[in-house]
Amino acid sequence: MSTKEQADRIELLQGTLDLLILRTLLLGPAHGHAIAKTIEFMSDDVLQVEQGSLYPALHRLIKRNWISFEGGTSENNRRAKFYQLTAKGRRQLLVETRKWDKLAGAIAQILRPAGQEGES
Amino acid sequence: MRRGKRMMEDLEQDIREHIEMETQDNIERGMSPVEARYAAVRKFGNVTRVKEETRAVWSFIWLEQLGQDIRYALRMLGKSPGFAAIAILTLALGVGANTSLFSVVNGVLLNPLPYPHSNQVVTAANWFPGYGEGSISYPDFLDWVRLNHTFSSLAAYRQNSFNLTGQGDAERVSAMEISASFFPLLGVNPIIGRDFSSAEDQLGGPPAVILSGGFWKTKFGSSEIIGKALSLDGTDYTVVGVIPEDFYFCCETIGFRLSDVYVPIGVSKDPWMRDRRITPGVRTVGRIKQGVTVAEAGADMDGVARNLAAAYPDIEKDLGIVVTPLKQVMVHDIRPFLLVLLAAVSFVLLIACVNVANLLLARSTGRGREFAIRAALGASQGRVVRQLLTESVLLAMAGGALGLLLASWGTRAALAALPSALPRANNVRLDPHVLLFTLIISLFAGILFGLAPAIRTSRPDLHETLKEGGRGGSGVRYRAQSIFVIVEMALAVVLLIGTGLTLRTLVSLWSVNPGFDSHNVLSFSVGFPPALASADANAIRATLRQFTDKIASVPGVSAVSVSNGAIPLNHESALVFWREGQAQPATEASMPFALWYRVGPDYLKVMKIRLLRGRFLTAQDDANAPGVCVIDEDFARKFFGNEDPIGRRLNFDLVYTQPLRIVGVVAHVKQYGLDETVHSPVQAQFYMPLLQLPDDQLKTLASSTTGFIIRTQGSPDAFAGAVRDALREFNSKAVLYAPEAMDHIISQSLAARRFAVILLAVFAALALVLAGIGIYGVISYIVGQRTHEIGIRMALGAQRSHVLKIVLGQGARLALLGVVIGLAAAAGLTRLMATILYGVSATDPLTFAAVAMVLTLIALAACYLPARRAVRIDRLVALRHE
């Protein structure tokens, strides 16, 4: 990969990745690879998740009992773990989303306060 | 661990699958298989780091959960502070008492001696067929050194004392005569100067002295001490070294003294030290070679004994040598005590643990509802169990920490109270090993007792529990608690009976008649002026008479006697003899022994020993009169049976050149202490007039000291000063030292026992308190659980007294069962402490009955409060109570 592409890659905070995974699973159960691709796809390729970091995140969510998994077969007939949201996870997603909106709003306010000149 | 491994394998597979899928996608995008895989792997990132991070997730989560558990546990414990306080206190008491006592036992009994490789340090002593183990002769010692093969080093020692003059007032210093190899053998290095050289340890060698650290500090203090001359008994000894202050060596005689100075034993001019037939209190300590066992050393010395018997048949035949580890020698008297104390304190710890278990069990039942709810909300059973465990572990640690505090205080208190009769009292400190052991025990107890109720409670039948409000299964719970209480009561009973028996032993001993009247009797020693050593025998006799008269002239002194040789509870001395008319035994070793008291005519007046027959010694029995002696009743019985011993003679081949005629029989005196037991094989006693001692013996005596014993009108301690002044007035070079009231000597001999009784009483009290709390807790709990039921009964018309009877009845049933079991157990167990009992049987019915009554009363008292509460229950409140 060229350095230019690397610079565009935004480092995702740990908690944010968790949030994204939860959101992805809202659409239905998926296996690890599919989750990674979905995040890329839904963000118009802005968020390039280093696919490896998905797994610690998934395990964190499992430990917290926000997601669970089952064995299953993938599209091309391979064995894979399918992850799905638990009830707790679903509730957590709501809470976290609200927190994230608040945070994003606050940051945006600081960066671009209402009625300010500057580049726009 | 296995779960982690499986997880890692799982993860690896997931990662493989993931990369496979990405590779597949890449191929579909048009890459070559090789490129596709390469890109997929790069996109994935660092596999090792992923695995590490995942592993970290698991451990971090685990820590987080532990934190949660701890916080939850603290909150739950905070909600019932009473329960937590009692549990912690109970455990702390058990742990604290245990650790304190273990520290003492460890320091005194279990710890190796403070010498390097101490299990190689042994004593070697003579074995006399008629006497048992005893001291040896110095010429024998020199041959032992020469002939043995299994000792790397062998040293002789002997206790003595000297008149120190020229350093201020003349004073008496305690001394030990030692071989040059003594200190090196024990691994002791002088802090100043050096050890004795072998040249100094020989007859005719230059007189050298080594000071003990304590003596040097108090008397001199400067390091300019080497080369200084000290005048001991008139001879100048050069100081060559000073040894560390904390040097400790056990003492085999009945009294224990730390030596002030050390001189070489080989230089002694005492003729008894050169006579192979005489054993003047010389003992040995040795170090056996690496790899040699004590048994092998013993066999080797048996060979040496045979060797000597062949070389000196009339002296050494039948004489054996016995080798014993030093540790055994040191502790063998107090071992049974300490073991009893150890058992007692273990009981206390057990009772404490049972109490805590009970508490935990009681509490866990009341939380059945809480667990049911958590299970309904999705908590796994493992999680709940873990959380309960955290609670009990927290309790256990808090109890252990408080116990540590109590232990350090307790150990200090014990040190202050320890009688000096216990060896190594100064080396007892809070032992970290012991502490660790006790903490582990309490942790273990906490886990065990927290786990049992936890596992049972955490798998409730959800519907049942939620419906009835948490009362499911209370029958089973109640049974477990009852068993606990019964066990507690039984343990307390055993402990109390043990204490009662030792207490009664002490009381019995205290009232034992020692054979003489010890009230208002003072014993002391007098060091002769050095000039006396060179006087002739008659001058010595005259001086002795004058000393006696001078002391008798002190107002308030009603009788005076010299007291030489054996001194009751203080010093042992024995002499061999044989009855006239019987054949002389072939060797000394096969001759009978008797305890040898060399006294003045007024000895009976001082000691008030009963005269049974004939007469005692008088002032007329002096050097010009025929030789006489007085025997005791045991002697008469053993050697004369029904014959009248008066007028018969005894023959000697040592000391006395003529036979002595028996002129009287007196009552027996308890030489070895009030509880004369197995280690006193020689019971026969005889008394000779000191003045009739042959001249050469008297001259040896005159170069050292003699004992005196006086009867006073009024408290003896007050007289020491007056007698000292009178003596000094008479001869300024005579030194009075070691004055001690006879009552005090006797009381000291019981000191270890007294201490044991006090300790046992403390533990018994502790056990009583804990058992009382235990019963109180259980009955309280039952009343609480059955409030509903009691309310119904009362609403239906039951009388208050009826309810009271039910509650008390339950408590009484538990208590009685516990007491009965305890009595049965005690009957079996107290047999084990028979060796330290005296005057009371191990199954003494009085003690058993008393303890049973006391415990039942305590149990009933403990039930009283909850019973009252039961009776006061408001019916309406009870009915509404869930």
Side-chain angles (χ1 to χ4, degrees), chain B residues 250-261:
Chain B
C250 76
C251 182
E252 79 292 354
T253 59
I254 304 169
F256 167 67
R257 307 189 303 267
L258 275 172
S259 303
D260 294 324
V261 301

Side-chain angles (χ1 to χ4, degrees), chain B residues 539-606:
Chain B
I540 297 172
R541 290 195 184 92
T543 311
L544 280 170
R545 278 200 205 91
Q546 285 163 345
F547 272 12
T548 310
D549 290 339
K550 190 66 192 174
I551 296 172
S553 72
V554 172
V557 173
S558 42
V560 182
S561 168
V562 284
S563 167
N564 221 290
I567 301 176
L569 287 115
N570 198 326
H571 190 252
E572 240 178 274
S573 175
L575 188 61
V576 284
F577 66 96
W578 73 96
R579 267 186 63 175
E580 139 194 89
Q582 290 182 347
Q584 176 172 357
T587 63
E588 256 124 40
S590 47
M591 284 185 201
F593 276 89
L595 288 168
W596 186 24
Y597 299 83
R598 307 189 286 269
V599 298
D602 279 353
Y603 190 71
L604 234 53
K605 266 202 216 135
V606 176

Side-chain angles (χ1 to χ4, degrees), chain B residues 738-755:
Chain B
E740 224 183 337
M742 206 61 194
D743 275 339
H744 186 243
I745 294 179
I746 292 188
S747 150
Q748 277 298 92
S749 73
L750 293 178
R753 238 181 242 279
R754 232 190 344 259
F755 179 64

Side-chain angles (χ1 to χ4, degrees), chain A residues 45-93:
Chain A
D45 276 351
V46 172
L47 297 177
Q48 301 269 330
V49 180
E50 189 168 81
Q51 299 189 331
S53 57
L54 207 58
Y55 284 88
L58 284 169
H59 280 255
R60 214 166 27 242
L61 292 170
I62 293 172
K63 209 36 179 138
R64 289 220 180 97
N65 216 6
W66 292 353
I67 66 179
S68 62
F69 64 88
E70 271 171 10
T73 358
S74 67
E75 312 85 54
N76 34 7
N77 270 335
R78 309 197 80 91
R79 264 182 51 244
K81 279 209 186 75
F82 277 80
Y83 300 91
Q84 68 212 35
L85 275 181
T86 62
K88 199 170 178 193
R90 212 177 287 268
R91 272 198 304 277
Q92 203 62 29
L93 176 57

Side-chain angles (χ1 to χ4, degrees), chain B residues 618-668:
Chain B
T618 63
Q620 279 72 53
D621 298 311
D622 62 8
N624 306 320
V628 294
C629 68
V630 172
I631 63 177
D632 88 313
E633 54 187 330
D634 277 23
F635 192 119
R637 200 176 327 128
K638 184 161 185 196
F639 296 103
F640 290 94
N642 290 325
E643 303 170 38
D644 183 6
I646 310 282
R648 304 303 201 88
R649 280 184 228 267
L650 299 175
N651 290 324
F652 302 86
D653 73 337
L654 278 179
V655 179
Y656 294 103
T657 49
Q658 306 279 1
L660 299 183
R661 190 166 55 95
I662 300 173
V663 294
V665 181
V666 290
H668 181 71

